[in-house]
């Protein structure tokens, strides 16, 4: 029955309202770009970078949009949302013109809709008409391919908005709300330290995959992503166990493309790793060079964090103190298995695992009480994030 088939979208070659959107961008005093996963899917990262840099507009991304704009660029505010940076969330809260490309405005990005970009005129670029004004009203709806529409916008904007003071304010927020963590000598190894150690030891084209949970957030916060398709995660699907098979797939893809020297690193949690660790057998069988870092806190960490923050510390099905020894399990599969408990063991273990020609698993025993910060409570205002433990 053809009447049951979904209607296909065939965007026009030129999006409507480009000129009107361009005038709004020119007149903005506090513009912000928000690049989503659609930018990467459309291979539009170059067009996005050209647009933002040409007009000096600060850039935030969604979590799926990580890598669409280099996080070491002065204009970059990193990613926004529930566990995004404080400075990205402040910029979105106070912008007067939000140029959103390839994003569906899901609730983990927006928090409460009423408090999301409340002062902004919204330019929304998306190939799917169903996404326009679905969650966030679009003052300037631009339906079309992300790269094509960004090129049209770049050509249509006649002069850069007067945003020097705004850029300075965004830089001040970077200084006020940096991503930091403490490393007291009387507390266990911090997971953020592990992520940074891998980032320092690998090249910019390293592919990072993750499972779902606290480790996923730390991997996205404390690694500096500069290229698209280097961050591979399940995002809104929330697929625990995604990291290891995704790493296998990324390794096969890289090898097929002649990129055998490219590193593939999977950050996993103990709970996520338990779900698909059997895929180590595939990695061993196919002699795949992947490195798996298990941030083992003996909890389903994000569940524990929510139970502590919102349920007065009543734990249910989040305590995993019975965890197996993952280094020994890795060896049983035929992979390299390592265990790390202290800071001085991190760098040597990372080096050994990366140098090993085959699948390697490092079981990092990290602080079980460490929380992911910043955090916007579900449905809360992005500009009122918890920046420290006492605010949860």
């Amino acid at each position: 029955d053809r009447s049951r088939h979904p209607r296909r979208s065939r965007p026009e070659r030129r999006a409507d309202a480009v000129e009107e959107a361009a005038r709004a961008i020119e007149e903005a005093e506090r513009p912000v770009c928000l690049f989503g996963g659609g930018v990467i899917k459309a291979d539009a990262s170059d067009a996005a970078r050209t647009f933002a840099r040409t007009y000096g507009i600060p850039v935030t991304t969604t979590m799926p949009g990580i890598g669409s704009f280099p996080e070491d660029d002065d204009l970059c505010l990193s990613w926004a949302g529930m566990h995004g940076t404080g400075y990205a969330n402040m910029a979105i809260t106070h912008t007067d013109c939000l140029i959103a490309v390839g994003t569906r405005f899901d609730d983990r990005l927006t928090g409460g809709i009423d408090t999301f970009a409340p002062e902004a005129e919204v330019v929304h670029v998306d190939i799917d008409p169903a996404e326009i004004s679905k969650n966030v009203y679009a003052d300037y709806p631009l339906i079309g391919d992300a790269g094509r529409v960004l090129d049209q916008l770049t050509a249509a904007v006649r002069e850069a908005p007067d945003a020097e003071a705004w850029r300075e304010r965004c830089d001040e927020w970077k200084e006020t709300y940096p991503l930091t963590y403490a490393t007291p000598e009387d507390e266990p190894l911090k997971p953020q330290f592990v992520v940074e150690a891998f980032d320092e030891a690998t090249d910019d084209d390293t592919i990072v995959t993750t499972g779902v949970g606290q480790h996923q957030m730390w991997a996205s916060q404390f690694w500096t992503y500069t290229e698209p398709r280097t961050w591979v995660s399940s995002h809104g699907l929330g697929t625990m166990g995604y990291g290891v098979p995704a790493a296998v797939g990324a390794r096969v893809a890289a090898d097929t493309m002649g990129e055998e020297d490219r590193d593939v690193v999977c950050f996993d949690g103990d709970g996520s790793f338990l779900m698909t660790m059997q895929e180590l057998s595939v990695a061993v069988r196919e002699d795949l060079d992947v490195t798996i870092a298990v941030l083992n806190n003996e909890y389903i960490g994000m569940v524990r964090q929510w139970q502590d923050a919102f349920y007065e510390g009543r734990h249910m099905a989040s305590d995993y103190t019975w965890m197996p020894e993952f280094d020994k399990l890795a060896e049983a599969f035929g992979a390299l298995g390592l265990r790390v408990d202290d800071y001085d063991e991190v760098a040597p273990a990372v080096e050994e695992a990366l140098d090993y020609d085959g699948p390697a698993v490092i079981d990092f025993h990290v602080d079980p009480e460490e929380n992911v910060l910043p955090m916007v409570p579900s449905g809360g205002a992005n500009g009122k994030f918890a920046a420290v433990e006492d605010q949860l």
Side-chain angles (χ1 to χ4, degrees), residues 6-319:
R7 183 172 60 87
R8 293 184 180 181
S9 170
R10 292 185 175 87
E12 300 295 330
R13 293 192 63 82
R14 182 171 181 80
D16 293 335
V18 167
E19 294 298 330
E20 293 89 338
R23 303 293 84 76
I25 293 167
E26 292 166 356
E27 295 169 5
E29 296 179 352
R30 306 186 305 278
V32 167
C33 292
L34 174 65
F35 296 146
V39 172
I40 294 175
K41 289 181 175 67
D43 290 326
S45 296
D46 287 345
R49 297 173 186 206
T50 296
F51 175 77
R53 288 167 172 164
T54 298
Y55 300 111
I57 299 175
V59 174
T60 65
T61 73
T62 67
M63 200 172 178
I66 287 173
S68 59
F69 196 84
E71 293 183 336
D72 57 358
D73 191 291
D74 288 343
L75 286 173
C76 191
L77 302 173
S78 194
W79 59 279
M82 180 173 283
H83 291 295
T85 64
Y87 36 94
N89 284 329
M90 290 298 284
I92 286 179
T93 300
H94 294 282
T95 181
D96 63 355
C97 182
L98 182 67
I99 305 139
V101 185
T103 175
R104 62 191 175 96
F105 291 113
D106 69 289
D107 64 337
R108 294 302 169 101
L109 166 69
T110 63
I113 292 292
D114 293 342
T115 55
F116 180 78
E119 303 171 24
E121 289 193 294
V122 175
V123 178
H124 189 186
V125 179
D126 205 283
I127 199 167
D128 184 357
E131 296 298 335
I132 301 295
S133 296
K134 182 183 77 175
N135 294 328
V136 172
Y137 178 76
D139 298 281
Y140 304 96
L142 305 180
I143 300 169
D145 173 80
R148 182 181 295 167
V149 177
L150 280 166
D151 287 343
Q152 294 168 5
L153 270 179
T154 301
V157 176
R158 297 167 185 160
E159 58 182 359
D162 184 8
E164 183 176 356
W166 171 242
R167 289 191 293 270
E168 291 176 356
R169 189 176 182 189
C170 289
D171 287 340
E172 290 172 0
W173 282 324
K174 285 184 182 181
E175 295 179 5
T176 304
Y177 305 110
L179 285 175
T180 60
Y181 59 97
T183 56
E185 293 183 1
D186 60 345
E187 294 183 9
L189 174 66
K190 298 297 182 180
Q192 302 96 320
F193 183 90
V194 175
V195 175
E196 290 185 328
F198 268 100
D199 191 13
E200 292 171 5
T202 55
D203 295 331
D204 286 347
D205 67 350
T206 296
I207 300 171
V208 175
T209 75
T210 76
V212 169
Q214 288 180 314
H215 69 277
Q216 177 189 29
M217 300 301 122
W218 290 316
S220 57
Q221 290 177 332
F222 289 92
W223 189 289
T224 302
Y225 297 90
T226 60
E227 297 299 329
R229 304 186 188 276
T230 54
W231 163 252
V232 182
S233 195
S234 68
H235 305 123
L237 294 175
T239 316
M240 289 181 68
Y242 180 83
V244 174
V248 168
R251 177 76 275 159
V252 171
D255 290 349
T256 301
M257 295 172 66
E259 299 175 354
E260 292 86 357
D261 293 337
R262 193 173 185 182
D263 287 319
V264 176
V265 176
C266 168
F267 288 104
D268 227 347
D270 41 311
S272 285
F273 187 61
L274 274 179
M275 292 188 169
T276 52
M277 65 181 181
Q278 70 274 12
E279 301 309 325
L280 276 176
S281 63
V282 176
V284 171
R285 183 189 73 200
E286 301 298 326
D287 193 25
L288 300 177
D289 188 12
V290 297
T291 302
I292 300 165
V294 182
L295 302 184
N296 184 356
N297 56 13
E298 297 188 341
Y299 276 108
I300 300 297
M302 191 60 79
V303 175
R304 191 272 308 157
Q305 178 170 331
W306 277 57
Q307 288 171 343
D308 286 346
F310 307 118
Y311 297 96
E312 299 177 353
R314 296 189 296 274
H315 291 177
M316 172 58 68
S318 59
D319 188 335

